Amino acid sequence: NELQIGGSRRHLLTGKKLVTTADKKAFLIGFSIDITQNVLAGKTIVEQKKFYAQIFNTVPNSIYIKDQQGNYLLVNEAVAKLFDSTPNQILIEGIENRDGYQIDGQLNNETDAKVLETGDTIEYEEALVLPGGEKKWFLTTKKPLPDENGNIRILGISIDITDRKNHSDELLKAKQAKEQFLANMSHEIRTPINGIVGMVNLLDEIPTTGEQKKYLSAIK
């Protein structure tokens, strides 16, 4: 129960017991223990859990936990949104067989196995093709996550790097196009230049005036 003392609210654990004496007189024995700090601590823990859950479900990155068999134990809202589903559905059905999605299941299984085998944290890029054909790229980090019994689970965090990846690919294509253009231009220019140099060398072998010699030297 609660007790108001001088503007301060206290939480009490109260117990009462009826006691009968040998001469059959009845007494009511009561006790109260101040558990205010325990109650407040309990409320704080609950509030912290709600706060952590709110963060877990509002971050834009996909966060999930899998067991050693590849089953999903926990996923956040970002994962559910990406696969047009709900967290509970994904926990039941998984994501590998979602209609219309193209996932590199072999890559996922290999990295999961490596994390479990080595205990290392692994970072890699992976692609996901959505039902409409859009291709998204993710930078995924997987690391071992032991539970309270020592069983190893896999914590995965995937960050959408599609824009950065596309921009990088565009820069690479532009660089390759520039190099190809310069190579083509070099070839196209080299042919007439070689002809000009050859003709200048031939002219240089013919007797010329001092002024003509100077012009030929300038051309060379």
Side-chain angles (χ1 to χ4, degrees):
N1 61 358
E2 295 182 4
L3 179 66
Q4 196 80 16
I5 302 177
S8 175
R9 177 176 293 181
R10 311 299 297 178
H11 296 266
L12 305 176
L13 175 63
T14 300
K16 294 180 180 181
K17 182 177 182 180
L18 183 64
V19 177
T20 304
T21 63
D23 55 359
K24 296 186 178 180
K25 291 183 178 179
F27 295 90
L28 186 64
I29 299 176
F31 68 90
S32 293
I33 302 174
D34 190 335
I35 58 170
T36 304
Q37 294 300 323
N38 293 341
V39 172
L40 293 179
K43 288 184 177 180
T44 301
I45 292 173
V46 171
E47 290 171 356
Q48 287 178 345
K49 288 183 177 179
K50 290 181 179 179
F51 178 67
Y52 295 147
Q54 184 179 13
I55 295 176
F56 180 72
N57 284 310
T58 54
V59 294
N61 303 329
S62 298
I63 304 175
Y64 52 87
I65 297 176
K66 301 167 70 175
D67 64 15
Q68 296 185 15
Q69 287 70 45
N71 301 311
Y72 286 87
L73 304 176
L74 183 66
V75 297
N76 69 347
E77 291 290 347
V79 177
K81 183 178 179 181
L82 180 63
F83 290 94
D84 192 25
S85 184
T86 65
N88 285 337
Q89 283 181 314
I90 291 178
L91 296 184
I92 296 172
E93 303 170 2
I95 61 173
E96 282 73 15
N97 298 319
R98 301 288 298 176
D99 290 339
Y101 290 86
Q102 297 179 34
I103 303 170
D104 192 340
Q106 181 178 351
L107 177 62
N108 276 312
N109 292 336
E110 288 176 353
T111 53
D112 287 354
K114 192 171 182 180
V115 169
L116 293 172
E117 179 183 355
T118 65
D120 295 335
T121 297
I122 299 176
E123 183 176 275
Y124 64 100
E125 292 183 3
E126 61 176 332
L128 170 68
V129 179
L130 305 182
E134 179 185 1
K135 189 175 186 178
K136 300 185 76 67
W137 284 92
F138 295 89
L139 178 63
T140 296
T141 301
K142 289 182 178 178
K143 63 181 301 181
L145 183 69
D147 62 14
E148 61 276 4
N149 297 319
N151 298 316
I152 303 299
R153 299 173 178 178
I154 298 172
L155 170 64
I157 302 175
S158 296
I159 303 173
D160 191 333
I161 58 169
T162 305
D163 291 341
R164 188 177 79 188
K165 187 76 173 177
N166 290 340
H167 183 63
S168 176
D169 288 346
E170 289 172 3
L171 288 177
L172 179 59
K173 289 178 181 177
K175 181 181 178 182
Q176 292 172 339
K178 177 182 176 182
E179 291 174 350
Q180 186 62 45
F181 170 76
L182 292 175
N184 292 340
M185 288 300 297
S186 176
H187 175 75
E188 295 297 330
I189 292 173
R190 189 181 300 114
T191 300
I193 288 294
N194 286 339
I196 293 171
V197 171
M199 295 302 291
V200 170
N201 288 332
L202 290 175
L203 282 173
D204 200 22
E205 295 175 359
I206 300 174
T208 56
T209 65
E211 189 173 0
Q212 289 173 336
K213 191 80 173 174
K214 181 172 129 181
Y215 292 156
L216 287 172
S217 178
I219 291 173
K220 290 176 70 174

